[in-house]
Amino acid sequence: MARIREKIVKGIPYYSIVTSVRVGPNRAPREKTLEYIGSFDRLKDYVLNAYSEKNGQGSQQTEDNTPPIHRTFKSYAHGACYAMYRMGHYLGVEKVFNEEFRKKTIKGLTRGEVLLLSMIHRAVDPGSMSDFVDWFKQSSLPHHLGLDSDLLTPQDIWEAMDGISEQEIERVQERFVTRLRELYSTDLSALHLDYTNYYTFIDSQNDRCTICRRGHNKQKRDDLRQFSLALITSQDMPLPMIWEIYEGNRNDKTEFDLFTDRVEAALKRLGCHPEDTTLAFDGGSNSQENFSKLHCHFVCAHTMKSQEYDSLYDIGLDQYEKVELTGGGSRQAYRIDHLSFSGVEGTGILTFSEALKEGQMEQLEKDKAKFAKRFQEVKDRLNHPRSGICQKLAKAKLEYYGIVQKIQAENDDILKHNAEVEAAKKAGMKTGKRIRKLKPVPEWNEDQELQEIVRKECFGEDRNYLSTFIQIQMEKNSDGRWELNNHTDKEKENA
């Protein structure tokens, strides 16, 4: 479906007519430009001319040279909003809400109607509750529903959500899954499990919300409270079948143990036996305890970092076989029967992706280029007394002296304590105190400390893996100045 897309360039909006097409072996959706329009004034002329031609009025300028009729227009979001509204009725979303949740009327609308509108908002134009009002006014839904566009407020959405229990939500979930299976005959013999999390801006002092906790966030927002989602979809149709929202600080392994029990119970209610189901998931859930509790077949990714799998790296690519993928394309793979991992014996599949290799090699070349640039910068300023490297060395030396002073003070207390114990023993007095050992005082090695600072400066935190095949040599010349060189071990780099 064609639509008008706005693009802001240096603060000025420009418009194009675009549509979505599916390209490539995976039929991934891409945006295709049908016609470039330009600025807002050109967009207005474009629409008014099209309107005039459609109504048989031709150009805006009339034959008797009278001024053209001034017209104004306003755009409303329509296609996606109305399609989702119709789909919501087709699936019975509003009906299920009204039947399972306690009845409540909000400004003449049922609880189910208000919740359906809020769901459409989150799906079409995700935003906060306060954004709902502006979105609703700019959509065509008030016209189709015969509602005043100023009728609903963010408080009405909160009112519709208030008082819903977890048990009611679970019943709604079961009814939706049953409805989806009735409409689409979804096969539950192959399922996929994945986790994600969503950060919020809930205040740290808000103790009413117990599910939003701080934890590892995939969007790198570990500073914010978040909630997490475990989701099961079917292989033949990527529809949500079973899901659970849980605390943001719970890791994947812990959630896997709790969630899979719920999945097996849900499958039994749907008439499926876990023994006839295959569950696919990533390696974050792998553990011997989790595998031992599964009553279904499973496919999972598994790390090869352990030394017990080192021999698998010796299998040459010439032993791999080409496997055609059902979704299109192919992959090189090698099958190993009776492979043991995480306490479970199964079939291992080693895969090789040329696209992944190319991406990794491209990233490697970028990281090597960054290293070369940083290395040259460090080399140029290494012997400068006012450089950042020398300042870091001076700071490390001050920290060392601070540690030494602290240890010496502790050793003075130990010596005093030991003297008291010795005096008590000589006087024949009984004491439960023992002679304590002095703490060793570390030695200051300025050259070693400088080499460590230089290494961190050259590699950086995000490219530290380069140190596995790039060695940095530091030597002093006859003038007492440091000379810096590096050497790349090609054999280790290509390993």
Side-chain angles (χ1 to χ4, degrees):
M1 180 178 66
R3 63 190 183 279
I4 296 177
R5 180 176 66 83
E6 179 186 72
K7 183 178 181 181
I8 305 297
V9 179
K10 296 182 179 180
I12 301 175
Y14 294 92
Y15 300 88
S16 303
I17 299 178
V18 301
T19 187
S20 293
V21 295
R22 292 187 176 273
V23 297
N26 296 326
R27 308 295 295 166
R30 294 288 186 272
E31 194 174 79
K32 177 182 178 182
T33 301
L34 300 177
E35 184 175 349
Y36 175 75
I37 298 174
S39 64
F40 179 77
D41 290 335
R42 291 192 62 185
L43 172 64
K44 184 169 65 173
D45 294 340
Y46 184 94
V47 175
L48 292 177
N49 288 334
Y51 178 84
S52 299
E53 292 176 4
K54 181 179 179 181
N55 291 273
Q57 298 177 5
S59 173
Q60 294 188 57
Q61 186 69 33
T62 58
E63 294 182 359
D64 56 356
N65 295 323
T66 57
I69 301 174
H70 179 69
R71 298 185 178 92
T72 60
F73 67 94
K74 187 174 182 180
S75 174
Y76 290 91
H78 170 66
C81 300
Y82 188 66
M84 288 206 66
Y85 179 76
R86 295 291 298 173
M87 181 56 70
H89 277 279
Y90 177 66
L91 295 175
V93 174
E94 179 186 331
K95 179 175 179 291
V96 171
F97 283 162
N98 288 332
E99 290 178 353
E100 295 297 340
F101 298 154
R102 281 166 286 181
K103 292 185 178 180
K104 180 181 288 188
T105 302
I106 302 166
K107 294 182 177 177
L109 301 176
T110 65
R111 187 203 293 261
E113 289 176 313
V114 177
L115 290 177
L116 177 58
L117 292 175
S118 68
M119 290 169 61
I120 296 172
H121 170 225
R122 290 298 178 93
V124 174
D125 186 19
S128 65
M129 291 294 187
S130 59
D131 295 334
F132 173 84
V133 176
D134 291 336
W135 168 81
F136 188 61
K137 289 179 180 179
Q138 295 172 6
S139 74
S140 62
L141 292 176
H143 169 74
H144 291 291
L145 300 178
L147 300 176
D148 183 355
S149 60
D150 294 319
L151 178 67
L152 295 176
T153 65
Q155 184 59 39
D156 297 327
I157 309 298
W158 288 115
E159 181 68 20
M161 296 170 60
D162 185 49
I164 299 175
S165 66
E166 291 187 20
Q167 293 75 18
E168 291 173 333
I169 294 175
E170 290 180 0
R171 291 199 301 268
V172 166
Q173 174 179 329
E174 292 176 11
R175 288 191 59 177
F176 280 153
V177 174
T178 303
R179 176 62 173 159
L180 289 173
R181 294 200 69 202
E182 290 174 354
L183 293 173
Y184 302 109
S185 302
T186 306
D187 181 15
L188 298 182
S189 62
L191 302 175
H192 178 259
L193 166 64
D194 200 7
Y195 312 94
T196 190
N197 44 41
Y198 302 89
Y199 63 82
T200 70
F201 294 95
I202 295 177
D203 187 77
S204 299
Q205 304 302 320
N206 186 339
D207 55 2
R208 293 170 296 173
C209 180
T210 58
I211 201 168
C212 289
R213 311 279 182 86
R214 284 184 175 82
H216 174 68
N217 182 265
K218 296 181 179 180
Q219 289 81 35
K220 311 300 181 184
R221 293 306 305 264
D222 296 351
D223 57 316
L224 298 174
R225 294 172 66 177
Q226 66 180 17
F227 65 91
S228 299
L229 170 69
L231 179 65
I232 292 281
T233 58
S234 62
Q235 181 185 26
D236 61 337
M237 187 175 295
L239 292 173
M241 303 306 297
I242 307 168
W243 59 89
E244 181 179 50
I245 295 175
Y246 58 96
E247 290 82 356
N249 61 349
R250 190 189 303 172
N251 60 40
D252 291 353
K253 287 185 179 180
T254 304
E255 172 59 18
F256 184 89
D257 182 23
L258 301 173
F259 185 52
T260 48
D261 289 340
R262 180 177 177 182
V263 171
E264 292 185 359
L267 290 174
K268 291 177 181 178
R269 287 195 299 269
L270 294 170
C272 301
H273 297 286
E275 296 82 2
D276 300 328
T277 301
T278 299
L279 182 65
F281 48 89
D282 60 27
S285 305
N286 294 0
S287 71
Q288 186 171 354
E289 294 75 17
N290 285 343
F291 290 154
S292 64
K293 295 178 181 180
L294 280 178
H295 300 102
C296 62
H297 304 285
F298 64 91
V299 177
C300 68
H302 199 72
T303 180
M304 290 173 57
K305 294 182 180 179
S306 175
Q307 293 182 353
E308 63 179 309
Y309 303 116
D310 285 349
S311 60
L312 300 181
Y313 289 101
D314 298 331
I315 301 174
L317 288 178
D318 57 335
Q319 301 183 53
Y320 282 54
E321 297 180 5
K322 185 177 180 180
V323 178
E324 299 295 334
L325 304 178
T326 55
S330 62
R331 183 69 58 85
Q332 295 292 109
Y334 182 86
R335 175 173 177 147
I336 306 174
D337 294 318
H338 309 296
L339 180 65
S340 183
F341 58 98
S342 295
V344 175
E345 186 176 286
T347 301
I349 304 293
L350 304 181
T351 62
F352 174 77
S353 169
E354 189 66 37
L356 177 60
K357 177 187 175 182
E358 291 177 359
Q360 290 177 332
M361 294 303 295
E362 182 179 350
Q363 186 61 49
L364 174 62
E365 293 302 320
K366 290 181 179 179
D367 289 345
K368 287 168 62 177
K370 290 179 181 178
F371 165 79
K373 181 179 179 181
R374 294 181 64 152
F375 178 84
Q376 188 60 46
E377 291 174 352
V378 172
K379 187 175 182 178
D380 293 341
R381 57 190 174 96
L382 176 59
N383 293 290
H384 197 288
R386 298 181 65 182
S387 69
I389 295 175
C390 293
Q391 291 177 3
K392 288 183 178 181
L393 181 63
K395 181 180 179 181
K397 196 169 186 177
L398 286 175
E399 291 176 352
Y400 164 76
Y401 285 133
I403 293 172
V404 170
Q405 290 178 358
K406 183 178 179 181
I407 293 176
Q408 289 176 343
E410 292 176 354
N411 283 341
D412 289 342
D413 292 338
I414 292 174
L415 290 173
K416 183 178 179 181
H417 166 83
N418 291 345
E420 293 175 355
V421 173
E422 291 289 349
K425 286 183 178 180
K426 288 181 180 180
M429 298 173 58
K430 291 184 178 181
T431 176
K433 298 180 179 180
R434 298 180 180 180
I435 298 295
R436 294 164 56 187
K437 293 183 178 180
L438 294 176
K439 293 186 176 181
V441 178
E443 295 183 0
W444 170 254
N445 189 326
E446 187 163 309
D447 291 352
Q448 184 177 346
E449 189 68 31
L450 178 61
Q451 289 177 10
E452 182 62 22
I453 292 173
V454 167
R455 191 191 69 82
K456 290 182 179 179
E457 286 288 306
C458 291
F459 291 116
E461 296 295 334
D462 55 340
R463 291 179 293 277
N464 195 42
Y465 75 95
L466 295 177
S467 62
T468 58
F469 57 85
I470 298 179
Q471 290 82 41
I472 297 177
Q473 295 96 24
M474 289 181 60
E475 295 180 355
K476 280 186 177 180
N477 59 21
S478 57
D479 298 332
R481 295 173 62 84
W482 285 103
E483 291 185 353
L484 201 61
N485 295 290
N486 69 81
H487 169 71
T488 299
D489 189 329
K490 293 296 182 181
E491 184 175 345
K492 290 184 179 180
E493 180 183 358
N494 298 326

